[in-house]
Every structure is written in C-alpha cells, then in structure tokens.
C-alpha cells in the first residue's frame, strides 16, 4: 500500500536535500484508506458513470496503486456496489425519518422536502442512484428504493382513505403515484435548480393534495419548513 505524503513547512526552505529530509510519510489506516477510495469513487461515478470510470483513475486520484483498490473492494464493481448501497440507505433514512407530522398534507410536504434535501446535499449520490445500475445491488434498484418509500406512505394513505370512506385497497396505487411524482420531479430539479426548493415542494404538494381541478394559484406550505 502506498502511503499518503505530508511535508513539513519551514520558514527557512534550505536545500532540496534538506527538504527531502524534512519530508515524512504518514500511513493511512485501512479504514481511512477505504473511506478515501469511497469518496473518490463516488465523485467519479457521479461524473462519468460506472462504465466511464476505471480502476486506474480511482487509484491515481487516491495516490495508490491498483492492487490497493482490489485489496479493499475486489475491483470497481465492489466499490460501486458499496457506494450505491450507502446512498440508497441514506436517502431511505432521510425520507422515512422525516415522516413525523400528524396531518396528511404536512406529511406530503415532509416527504417532498426530504427528497429535495437529499438532492441538494448529496447531489453526487443522487446522480449515481438515478443511473441504471450495471450490477446487482443488495438494496435493489432506484425503482425498488422508491417502492420502499411508497410503502411508508401507503400506510398513511390507507388510514386517511378509511377515515374518508374511500377504498383502502387503492392506497398502494396512490402511494406509488405520489412518491413517483416527487422522485421524477426531483430528477428534473437536479439540473435546473429552479424554482427554489420550498417552492418546488409547495407545488408538488399542491398537485398531490388538490388535483388539477382544485389547484391553488399561490400554493402555501402548512408545515414549519419554509425553505
């Protein structure tokens, strides 16, 4: 394993020979190296995709030899699988953890904000997730992740349907429709970033809550999130 190099600074530079003597090598731990490779891989996979990224490039960015990448992940496929798995779990945790309100409309707002927050804070991760994965993942595909999130929403819709006299068996259909609408809008917003996040969330909930027939001209958010 090739070590990262750190050089001491000095007010008196001296000769090149003196500089070399002052140079020391700091060995990364296995955990630190693994995290470094994950971060580099995440950036490259987001920018170039799985096929466009090579083990040589990952190793070069990390300042190590190719065998180090194989040592930690068994190759590019293994590194990619770990990166995707981490991002899918992060997104699922953010969305499901956000569903805390009692009012169904505010729950819709929270789910929309959670996805948009993830896109804003973990843009590289979202770019990776929305690509078609070339290898099987332990947590499935982006579509299966959206389905997992829809299952959380399904229970909420089922209770609301019962209270309003609607058929609760239709809750899964509406849950998929709602979550899918937010996810696809998120993919579009990923690049345009207009309008602002809160406005996007408000319009998503406006459509979901009122339908096309009852759209508000100036939709408002009822929850505590305003940005």
């Amino acid at each position: 394993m090739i070590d990262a190099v750190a050089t001491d600074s000095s007010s008196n530079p001296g000769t090149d020979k003196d500089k070399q003597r002052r140079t020391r090598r700091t060995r990364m731990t296995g955990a630190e190296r693994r995290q470094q490779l994950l971060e580099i891989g995440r950036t490259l996979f987001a920018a170039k995709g799985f096929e466009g990224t090579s083990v040589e490039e990952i190793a070069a960015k990390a300042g190590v030899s190719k065998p180090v990448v194989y040592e930690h992940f068994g190759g590019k496929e293994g590194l990619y699988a770990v990166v995707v798995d981490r991002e899918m779990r992060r997104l699922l945790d953010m969305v499901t953890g956000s569903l805390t309100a009692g009012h169904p409309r505010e729950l819709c707002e929270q789910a929309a904000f959670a996805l948009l927050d993830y896109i804003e804070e973990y843009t590289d991760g979202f770019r990776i997730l929305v690509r078609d994965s070339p290898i099987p993942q332990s947590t499935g595909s982006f579509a299966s992740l959206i389905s997992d999130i829809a299952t959380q929403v399904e229970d909420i819709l089922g209770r609301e349907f019962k209270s309003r006299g609607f058929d609760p068996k239709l809750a899964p259909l509406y849950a998929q429709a709602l979550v899918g609408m937010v996810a696809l809008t998120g993919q579009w917003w990923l690049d345009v970033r207009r309008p602002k996040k809160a406005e996007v969330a408000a319009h998503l909930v406006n459509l979901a809550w009122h339908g096309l027939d009852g759209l508000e001209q100036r939709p408002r958010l009822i929850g505590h999130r305003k940005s």
Side-chain angles (χ1 to χ4, degrees):
M1 185 179 295
I2 296 178
D3 297 327
V5 177
T7 304
D8 290 332
S9 60
S10 174
S11 57
N12 299 311
T15 66
D16 289 342
K17 193 172 183 179
D18 291 333
K19 290 180 182 179
Q20 291 175 3
R21 287 173 179 169
R22 287 195 300 268
T23 299
R24 72 178 186 274
R25 291 183 177 275
T26 304
R27 182 180 296 277
M28 280 189 177
T29 65
E32 289 170 339
R33 180 67 74 193
R34 180 180 175 86
Q35 184 60 34
Q36 179 204 32
L37 292 170
L38 282 169
E39 291 173 359
I40 290 171
R42 183 175 179 269
T43 300
L44 290 174
F45 290 137
K48 299 185 175 185
F50 177 80
E51 296 297 339
T53 302
S54 67
V55 173
E56 289 84 355
E57 188 173 11
I58 294 168
K61 290 281 188 183
V64 300
S65 59
K66 286 171 56 178
V68 175
V69 180
Y70 288 105
E71 176 187 339
H72 282 279
F73 299 101
K76 183 175 71 169
E77 292 81 1
L79 175 58
Y80 183 85
V82 175
V83 168
V84 171
D85 185 72
R86 285 190 172 194
E87 292 303 321
M88 293 183 79
R89 291 182 187 280
R90 192 200 311 271
L91 175 55
L92 183 60
D93 288 346
M94 286 180 69
V95 173
T96 56
S98 72
L99 302 177
T100 59
H103 194 283
R105 178 167 176 172
E106 190 173 356
L107 285 167
C108 288
E109 291 179 11
Q110 290 173 341
F113 265 122
L115 180 62
L116 296 173
D117 283 343
Y118 174 79
I119 293 171
E120 187 173 62
E121 296 172 26
Y122 304 101
T123 301
D124 282 353
F126 190 73
R127 289 190 189 280
I128 293 170
L129 290 183
V130 297
R131 295 179 188 271
D132 291 330
S133 174
I135 54 177
Q137 303 297 324
S138 61
T139 47
S141 63
F142 183 66
S144 69
L145 175 67
I146 294 303
S147 182
D148 288 342
I149 296 172
T151 299
Q152 306 290 328
V153 177
E154 177 185 324
D155 294 335
I156 298 166
L157 285 180
R159 293 193 296 269
E160 186 68 12
F161 276 24
K162 280 185 178 179
S163 69
R164 296 183 178 218
F166 298 154
D167 184 357
K169 292 180 181 178
L170 293 175
L173 186 158
Y174 280 89
Q176 292 286 341
L178 285 171
V179 175
M181 176 181 70
V182 175
L184 286 174
T185 302
Q187 290 187 50
W188 165 78
W189 188 71
L190 173 67
D191 294 315
V192 298
R193 297 300 175 99
R194 292 191 307 270
K196 293 182 179 180
K197 180 169 59 178
E199 192 174 350
V200 174
H203 282 284
L204 280 168
V205 176
N206 186 30
L207 176 59
W209 193 254
H210 296 288
L212 289 173
D213 187 51
L215 281 182
E216 299 172 339
Q217 287 189 350
R218 296 179 180 273
R220 61 187 178 84
L221 298 169
I222 69 167
H224 70 281
R225 282 289 300 269
K226 301 300 178 185
S227 62

